[in-house]
């Protein structure tokens, strides 16, 4: 974002882990796929959701 | 998110994977997602078919806090939930524009806007790497779990910068990772689309 010219780039709120229960809400993923995915991660998801904000300078 | 993560696919392959994954989502699957990221007040403003197509990762509208009269652009608008929440906030004089490159999602989003009687929400075919809006035409750009799907993230941020007015804000929700994804995950189509 900063390379594009944005200023005051910041994370907003807490970052939420995309754990098995959370990913299970999405219809994009089958149970079989999630079994495979979390096996690749050793059972622990390294992925999080964040909110980011950047401002275009005046 | 890493810049330009190494992928085994061409840009066209990556776009196909995303189109196929999101173009085949069955309505009704996203209710749990909507309940997990939107407030009860927000959900109360949305008809069931809109809530059921929620596939985002967070709530960028809440953090962007668009106000009356502003123009909001939603990158990868899908079924339209974030565009429509923005349209509710910016009316009567503001507007919200959702862009998506999946025709089926655009059709659904337009149907949802009509269902809600929102005439200040529009849905346009386009990509986030080539946003079909003029320079400095938006006050706010939002996106919800979509920028990670681009193979040209630097280009996406440059386009967001271009279409924002001076002082405008880009607010998005997306996934980040501690470390690197295993090669097996990086090369899996379902994982990429997700």
């Amino acid at each position: 974002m900063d390379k594009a010219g944005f200023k005051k780039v910041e994370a907003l709120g807490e970052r939420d882990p995309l754990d098995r229960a959370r990913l299970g809400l999405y219809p994009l993923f089958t149970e079989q796929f999630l079994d495979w995915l979390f096996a690749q991660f050793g059972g622990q998801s390294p992925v999080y959701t964040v909110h980011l904000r950047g401002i275009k300078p005046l | 998110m890493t810049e330009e993560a190494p992928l085994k696919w061409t840009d066209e392959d990556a776009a196909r994977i995303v189109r196929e994954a999101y173009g085949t989502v069955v309505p009704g699957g996203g209710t749990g997602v909507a309940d997990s990221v939107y407030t009860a007040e927000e959900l109360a403003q949305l008809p069931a078919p809109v809530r059921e197509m929620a596939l985002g990762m967070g709530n960028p509208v809440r953090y962007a806090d668009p106000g009356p009269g502003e123009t909001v652009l939603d990158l990868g608008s899908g079924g339209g939930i974030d565009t429509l929440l923005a349209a509710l906030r910016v009316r009567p004089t503001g507007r919200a524009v959702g862009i998506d490159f999946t025709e089926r999602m655009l059709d659904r989003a337009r149907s949802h806007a009509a269902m809600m009687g929102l005439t200040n929400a529009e849905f346009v075919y386009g990509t986030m790497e080539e946003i079909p809006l003029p320079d400095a035409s938006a006050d706010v750009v939002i996106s919800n779990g979509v920028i990670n799907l681009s193979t040209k993230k630097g280009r996406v941020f440059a386009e967001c910068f271009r279409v924002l007015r001076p002082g405008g804000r880009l607010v998005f929700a997306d996934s980040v990772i501690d470390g690197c994804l295993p090669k097996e995950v990086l090369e899996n189509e379902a994982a990429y689309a997700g």
Side-chain angles (χ1 to χ4, degrees), chain A residues 1 3-6 12-15 18 22 25-29 33 36-37 40-41 46-58, chain B residues 21-22 25 29 32-33 37 55-59 63 157 161 164 166-178 184 188 190-191 194:
Chain A
M1 290 174 76
K3 286 181 185 174
F6 286 99
L12 306 167
E14 301 295 318
R15 65 179 199 172
L18 276 173
R22 179 83 189 280
L25 298 174
Y26 292 82
L28 294 165
F29 306 125
F33 169 74
W36 172 83
L37 182 67
Q40 307 305 309
F41 294 152
V47 184
Y48 297 82
T49 293
V50 295
H51 290 81
L52 296 172
R53 178 176 60 203
I55 307 292
K56 181 172 179 174
L58 291 170
Chain B
Y22 288 86
V25 169
V33 177
V37 297
L55 296 170
M57 293 178 162
N59 190 336
Y63 288 108
F157 291 128
F161 193 85
L164 278 171
R169 55 215 189 266
L170 165 64
V171 181
F172 64 98
D174 223 313
S175 55
V176 295
I177 183 169
D178 286 333
E184 291 75 12
N188 182 281

Side-chain angles (χ1 to χ4, degrees), chain B residues 74-131:
Chain B
D74 181 12
L75 301 180
S77 46
I81 190 167
D82 296 302
T83 313
L84 297 169
L85 285 171
L88 288 167
R89 284 175 175 247
V90 302
R91 63 182 176 177
T93 55
R95 69 183 184 127
V97 181
I99 68 164
D100 205 286
F101 74 170
T102 306
E103 293 286 1
R104 181 174 289 185
M105 284 295 192
L106 286 168
D107 290 343
R108 286 191 175 125
R110 290 172 184 138
S111 155
H112 293 158
M115 199 179 292
M116 293 173 68
L118 284 171
T119 56
N120 68 332
E122 58 185 294
F123 294 92
V124 178
Y125 180 88
T127 69
M128 55 188 159
E129 294 86 0
E130 291 184 52
I131 297 172

Side-chain angles (χ1 to χ4, degrees), chain B residues 152-163:
Chain B
K152 299 175 181 174
K153 296 177 183 63
R155 172 74 182 167
V156 173
F157 291 128
E159 277 290 89
C160 292
F161 193 85
R162 179 184 67 77
V163 301

